Amino acid sequence: MNDSQGYSQDQMTPRFIGRAVLVTGSSRGIGAGIARRLASEGARVAITYASNPDAAQKIVTSLPGSGHISLHLQVGDETSVEKAFSKVLEEFGRLDFLVNNAGITKDQLLLRMKADDFDRVTEANLRGVFLCTRAAAKIMLKARFGSIVNITSVVGQTGNPGQSNYAASKGGVEAFTKSVALELASRQVRANCVAPGFIVTEMTDVLSDQQRRSILDRIPLKALGDVSDVAAAVSFLLSSDAKYVTGHTLSVNGGLYM
Ligand code: NAP
């Protein structure tokens, strides 16, 4: 099978057999693609949704392998996070990897941005990463093993007009990740970020031809990214191929920012 840029999708090696992973916000989009990639490499995956249990269940049943589960998880809500991580331990008996993927946007120019829109975005994108990372770290530190990948954005690196809330949350996650990487390293728990640029998802499907052309003009590799490009970067950072990589942000952006 080829992706949208003509690269073949190689047969996956089952390097994650016996591993358990929770991917937040995996009922659709990039999270679902990450879950699919990790399942195809042998991991058991906890799919999480905020509002759409049916979509999450569909992803669970379509994943390769077996033993996957779906869970309700509001990442910014402490009680919801504690419940979801307890459930994962109950079902899987372990948690080796966490992918903090759930994220939202509420775009507006600064002077028109409501404080509530700032709070909602930082609650999901930054507080949510903090709560889930803390819950996972409790388990991973005990096991003296684990790997965490946080999905940030090129916007957290460059800024973007109309996205001051989103950019602050994603930039905050990068700084958070470095601190956490330093705290957890002595117990062999790693934490890294993947920062996607423009990725083909429902979000980019609605772009007009003109918007798409102007975006492509700015991307050196002259293509939008595929969900599979992000998933491959996540898989690498979780795997033992990256056992000496922590506190890093891996950009998956076609050269848009370097
Ligand atoms: P998406 O299609 O909008 O999916 C978001 C997922 O997060 C859904 O599963 C949703 O669940 C869940 N979710 C939303 N609010 C949540 C909350 N408060 N708590 C827990 N789960 C919540 O997103 P996406 O485009 O795939 O993006 C995924 C990640 O990549 C985000 O962090 C985003 O910032 C980042 N990113 C995306 C792009 C891009 O081009 N798409 C580029 C750079 C970075 P329900 O559907 O059940 O509500």
Side-chain angles (χ1 to χ4, degrees):
M1 200 175 84
N2 287 347
D3 67 18
S4 66
Q5 291 158 48
Y7 283 96
S8 70
Q9 301 287 287
D10 299 330
Q11 197 71 33
M12 302 298 163
T13 51
R15 60 180 167 180
F16 297 140
I17 283 180
R19 298 291 184 205
V21 56
L22 186 151
V23 183
T24 70
S26 39
S27 56
R28 62 189 154 98
I30 292 174
I34 293 168
R36 189 168 308 287
R37 165 82 192 220
L38 302 179
S40 72
E41 294 181 285
R44 272 182 302 168
V45 186
I47 297 291
T48 87
Y49 62 91
S51 61
N52 194 339
D54 295 345
Q57 195 46 47
K58 262 194 199 150
I59 300 293
V60 165
T61 49
S62 73
L63 290 180
S66 60
H68 313 300
I69 58 171
S70 85
L71 296 170
H72 177 256
L73 172 61
Q74 276 288 350
V75 291
D77 175 342
E78 199 164 7
T79 309
S80 173
V81 170
E82 296 303 329
K83 261 196 204 159
F85 280 79
S86 301
K87 184 79 180 154
V88 165
L89 266 193
E90 202 181 301
E91 295 283 334
F92 293 160
R94 61 189 298 146
L95 180 67
D96 304 286
F97 306 138
L98 167 67
V99 183
N100 281 307
N101 164 79
I104 61 167
T105 52
K106 295 261 169 239
D107 298 351
Q108 190 51 273
L109 293 172
L110 176 66
L111 294 189
R112 290 194 204 139
M113 187 176 287
K114 296 195 171 75
D116 189 49
D117 289 341
F118 189 89
D119 290 346
R120 282 168 66 187
V121 167
T122 50
E123 179 178 307
N125 298 6
L126 183 56
R127 177 184 156 92
V129 170
F130 154 65
L131 289 174
C132 292
T133 302
R134 190 180 64 176
K138 267 186 211 155
I139 302 164
M140 292 172 179
L141 287 174
K142 235 187 241 167
R144 292 182 172 266
F145 178 82
S147 181
I148 298 166
V149 174
N150 299 325
I151 307 300
T152 56
S153 168
V154 67
V155 167
Q157 301 167 309
T158 61
N160 199 26
Q163 291 198 307
S164 57
N165 50 359
Y166 182 74
S169 71
K170 295 298 189 179
V173 169
E174 275 202 28
F176 170 81
T177 305
K178 289 179 193 173
S179 302
V180 164
L182 287 169
E183 285 190 31
L184 306 184
S186 64
R187 302 267 188 109
Q188 301 305 313
V189 179
R190 297 179 296 107
N192 291 287
C193 296
V194 168
F198 287 96
I199 304 300
V200 179
T201 56
E202 284 168 29
M203 204 171 84
T204 46
D205 283 350
V206 300
L207 293 173
S208 67
D209 282 352
Q210 198 200 341
Q211 283 171 317
R212 190 174 286 265
R213 265 198 306 277
S214 94
I215 289 169
L216 288 178
D217 275 349
R218 293 161 46 210
I219 301 176
L221 283 176
K222 296 294 168 222
L224 301 188
D226 289 305
V227 167
S228 62
D229 296 321
V230 179
V234 171
S235 170
F236 163 69
L237 287 171
L238 293 178
S239 78
S240 58
D241 285 346
K243 68 182 174 18
Y244 203 54
V245 182
T246 196
H248 183 69
T249 295
L250 178 48
S251 291
V252 180
N253 63 22
L256 179 61
Y257 171 79
M258 51 177 87

